[in-house]
């Protein structure tokens, strides 16, 4: 069964960060994610995850200063990017997290971005860790289009996996279901939010159950993360979750 991952930067924010893990497990999630969970030391995070039957599905290499939204593409910030990436990689290895997302940042240039991605790939070689890249529709964000993400992925032989976000894909004019069907082999992680509004599934116009079926039908085996803004308390936004946890028609699990 695919892991259902609660983005605890968006969900369960009614609770302190450490308490969001238990809230996610109680709600039925089997994984959690956060771009910068460093306030919980890695050894404590691993113990909490193990005790709750959770995994950590992805972390970022750091958001940088206010407004930067990442460092990987920003000339002059290479030392900070590398320090942040090393911290994130060490944290991921200590907690059993499979992915580090080196966020590109606002502005920057492609040469810097590609150099930092190449360096990061060399750092994780042989460790089992993988990189994620994501097209994000923040104004000015360097990695802004899915086509750009695919080109970077191809530039490095498919080594960085692609993070498909249903909300960003819709803003970019893509049908997330059709895109996932065509490019499932590129995807390492998924973020789910409805459009418009970036709220919970069922609040907007996207065919998100069809996206789930398309992903699983194509053999996708990664985590499905929920990165949305609840329209009220998180617990009241989770009516969709049992349907996402249920197997597809005809699917059999031991």
């Amino acid at each position: 069964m695919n892991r259902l991952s609660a983005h605890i930067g968006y969900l369960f924010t009614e609770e302190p960060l450490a308490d969001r893990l238990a809230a996610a497990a109680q709600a039925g999630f089997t994984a959690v994610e956060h771009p910068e969970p460093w306030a919980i030391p890695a050894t404590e995070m691993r113990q909490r995850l193990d005790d709750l039957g959770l995994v950590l599905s992805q972390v970022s290499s750091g958001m940088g200063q206010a407004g930067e939204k990442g460092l990987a593409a920003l000339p002059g910030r290479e030392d900070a990017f590398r320090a942040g990436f090393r911290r994130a990689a060490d944290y991921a290895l200590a907690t059993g997290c499979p992915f580090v997302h080196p966020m590109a940042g606002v502005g920057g240039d492609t040469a810097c971005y590609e150099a930092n991605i190449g360096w990061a790939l060399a750092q994780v070689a042989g460790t089992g860790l993988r990189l994620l890249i994501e097209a994000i529709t923040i104004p000015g964000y360097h990695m802004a289009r899915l086509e750009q993400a695919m080109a970077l992925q191809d530039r490095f032989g498919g080594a960085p996996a692609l993070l498909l976000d249903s909300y960003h894909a819709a803003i970019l004019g893509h049908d997330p279901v059709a895109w996932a069907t065509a490019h499932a082999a590129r995807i390492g992680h998924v973020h789910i939010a409805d459009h418009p509004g970036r709220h919970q599934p069922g609040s907007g116009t996207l065919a998100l159950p069809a996206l789930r079926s398309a992903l699983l039908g194509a053999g996708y085996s990664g985590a499905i993360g929920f990165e949305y803004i609840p329209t009220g308390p998180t617990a009241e936004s989770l009516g969709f979750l049992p349907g996402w946890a249920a197997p597809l028609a005809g699917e059999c699990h031991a």
Side-chain angles (χ1 to χ4, degrees):
M1 183 70 68
N2 291 69
R3 292 208 179 267
L4 303 182
S5 179
H7 191 304
I8 56 174
Y10 282 74
L11 306 185
F12 306 106
T13 57
E14 303 89 350
E15 304 286 345
L17 180 62
D19 293 343
R20 297 175 201 173
L21 304 176
Q26 185 175 4
F29 291 98
T30 54
V32 293
E33 57 192 273
H34 193 284
E36 296 184 304
W38 327 130
I40 305 174
T43 52
E44 178 184 342
M45 174 65 84
R46 184 60 181 262
Q47 187 63 58
R48 286 176 177 269
L49 294 169
D50 290 348
D51 289 347
L52 292 165
L54 296 171
V55 297
L56 185 62
S57 59
Q58 63 112 4
V59 296
S60 83
S61 62
M63 304 283 282
Q65 299 172 358
E68 287 183 320
K69 300 295 184 182
L71 299 171
L74 306 189
R77 298 286 274 144
E78 290 88 349
D79 288 347
F81 167 75
R82 293 184 178 196
F85 187 88
R86 290 189 185 99
R87 174 182 62 179
D90 288 346
Y91 194 96
L93 287 169
T95 57
C97 176
F99 284 114
V100 176
H101 179 191
M103 293 184 69
V106 173
D109 66 59
T110 299
C112 178
Y113 188 40
E114 291 189 356
N116 278 330
I117 293 296
W119 176 87
L121 286 170
Q123 302 309 299
V124 301
T127 68
L129 289 180
R130 296 188 67 193
L131 304 191
L132 285 174
I133 54 175
E134 179 185 14
I136 297 176
T137 56
I138 296 169
Y141 193 77
H142 185 77
M143 174 57 73
R145 295 175 292 107
L146 282 165
E147 294 84 0
Q148 184 185 3
M150 289 192 290
L152 182 71
Q153 193 177 41
D154 292 344
R155 164 80 171 77
F156 289 100
L162 198 145
L163 195 168
L164 174 66
D165 184 297
S166 62
Y167 174 78
H168 291 308
I171 289 178
L172 292 168
H174 296 282
D175 173 358
V177 177
W179 199 95
T181 300
H183 302 291
R186 293 181 176 271
I187 302 170
H189 192 75
V190 174
H191 277 164
I192 297 296
D194 218 327
H195 178 271
R198 198 180 184 87
H199 301 307
Q200 62 266 24
S203 63
T205 62
L206 298 184
L208 295 175
L211 175 57
R212 174 189 180 274
S213 296
L215 287 165
L216 301 190
Y220 175 73
S221 59
I224 298 177
F226 293 87
E227 187 190 58
Y228 65 82
I229 302 166
T231 53
T234 300
E236 296 178 7
S237 74
L238 297 174
F240 66 87
L241 196 60
W244 285 75
L248 291 173
E251 190 178 15
C252 180
H253 296 279

